[in-house]
Each structure stands twice: as structure tokens, then as C-alpha cells.
Amino acid sequence: MESFSEGEKQQIKKIYEETIAPTTAIVNNQQLELTKLSRVSITEVKSVLSVKIVNAQQRKLTVTVDIPEPIKELYMPTESFIRIVSILVDNAIEAAEKSTERTISIALFAVDDTQYCIVKNSIAESTINLGDLYEKSYSTKGNDRGLGLYSIKRITNQYPTITLSTAINQQSFEQKLVMKTTVHE
């Protein structure tokens, strides 16, 4: 039986520390973010979010998911929620890819009679005109674009209990979907 020389042991250790250990940490972290989706009981929502998260991770983006409590129902129709979240996450992925930080975070939680879905991403620059953001055909991505946020605005306008707000600073862009169970005057 052959044994490894001290030099071979050091080489193996170096390969492990530089290649295998970091990769294992990345894979474990990606899996951890996906397991947080188990707190969502709505199969369609869980499926769409998992596809979007895996897509972002495959594009080498750092994705953080925050779903602190079980989500058993949505305070809006599931189809409309899925459409909105799909657009928000797709936009976040595209913007984060162009940024230095390359990060996305998705949060879904409830406080009393209000649910929140927050999609936040790093950005390359903050020259976005918030006033035009929801206008038809307005896009920071070129021609023949600009229907996503316009579609979201049309959906949210159908429901008096739903609002979408946008915040931007030097490093990040945040979309906050707020869903209430009832209209408060």
C-alpha cells in the first residue's frame, strides 16, 4: 500500500481548500435559499419562485430568500401574483447581472392583515426615471421593451387592496408589493 508524501498531502489540501471547499459552500448556500420556499404552501408560487431562483443562481447571482413564516394563502388572486412576481424577479435578474454586486433578495411575509413581497436587486447605476417607470414602452433595456412594469400597474389598478412602490438608491432597486385583506379608509 502506497502512502502520500508530505508534498502530495499539501497539494491535496491546497486543491481542497481552493476548489472543493468553496464550491461546496456555494452549493450548500444555494440549496439553503431554495429550502426556504418550503414555507410557501401554494404550489404554483413555490414552483415559479424556485425556477426564478435557480435561473438567477445559474447566472452567478447571489440570491437571498426571506420567508420567515408559512404562507398558506395570498391576499390577491394567485395568477395575478405570479405574473407580478415573475416580472419583478426577471427584471431584478437582468439588472443585477449588470451590477458589480450581482445580488437579489426576495422576501415574502405577512404582518397582521397585510402581506408583503419585496424584490430587491443591486444595480449598475441609479439613473432610472421613477416617474416614467410604469409607462407603456418605457425601458432602460432598449427598444421593443417596457411592457412588464406597465402590465404590473394595470394588474394592481384592478385591486384597491394592492399597491406597488419603488425605491432606488445608488446601489439598489427595490419593488414592494403590498397586499391587504381589506381596504382601509
Side-chain angles (χ1 to χ4, degrees):
M1 179 174 187
E2 291 184 41
S3 62
F4 293 107
S5 70
E6 191 57 35
E8 290 170 323
K9 288 179 186 176
Q10 290 303 320
Q11 183 67 20
I12 292 169
K13 182 178 178 185
K14 181 180 178 188
I15 290 170
Y16 175 80
E17 290 173 352
E18 292 178 1
T19 308
I20 298 171
T23 303
T24 301
I26 290 168
V27 169
N28 288 341
N29 187 49
Q30 289 177 348
Q31 291 300 324
L32 177 63
E33 297 308 310
L34 282 172
T35 60
K36 293 176 185 177
L37 292 178
S38 66
R39 296 183 186 126
V40 178
S41 299
I42 306 144
T43 305
E44 301 89 342
V45 173
K46 188 186 312 185
S47 296
V48 166
L49 285 174
S50 65
V51 166
K52 301 293 181 189
I53 291 166
V54 168
N55 180 21
Q57 290 172 337
Q58 287 174 339
R59 294 172 182 228
K60 308 277 190 266
L61 300 176
T62 301
V63 180
T64 306
V65 177
D66 186 15
I67 305 173
E69 299 292 327
I71 302 292
K72 297 178 181 173
E73 64 176 328
L74 292 171
Y75 299 167
M76 71 181 299
T78 302
E79 300 79 24
S80 296
F81 179 82
I82 288 172
R83 177 83 175 122
I84 290 170
V85 167
S86 293
I87 293 167
L88 294 180
V89 176
D90 285 346
N91 286 351
I93 289 170
E94 286 186 43
E97 280 186 302
K98 297 174 185 168
S99 73
T100 305
E101 288 192 19
R102 301 178 60 82
T103 60
I104 295 177
S105 63
I106 301 167
L108 183 57
F109 59 95
V111 177
D112 298 325
D113 65 343
T114 305
Q115 282 181 330
Y116 299 87
C117 179
I118 302 171
V119 178
K120 186 174 182 178
N121 58 276
S122 57
I123 56 174
E125 57 186 71
S126 61
T127 58
I128 299 168
N129 183 347
L130 291 180
D132 294 334
L133 200 58
Y134 295 96
E135 295 300 317
K136 187 175 184 178
S137 300
Y138 176 80
S139 176
T140 60
K141 301 172 203 159
N143 296 332
D144 299 323
R145 307 285 301 259
L147 294 177
L149 293 177
Y150 173 74
S151 297
I152 289 176
K153 198 63 172 168
R154 291 186 60 197
I155 293 169
T156 59
N157 285 343
Q158 295 174 27
Y159 307 103
T161 58
I162 309 298
T163 59
L164 180 68
S165 62
T166 303
I168 189 169
N169 67 38
Q170 299 288 30
Q171 296 86 24
S172 67
F173 185 82
E174 179 181 284
Q175 299 275 332
K176 184 188 300 183
L177 181 66
V178 180
M179 303 164 278
K180 295 184 179 286
T181 56
T182 58
V183 177
H184 296 285
E185 298 297 322

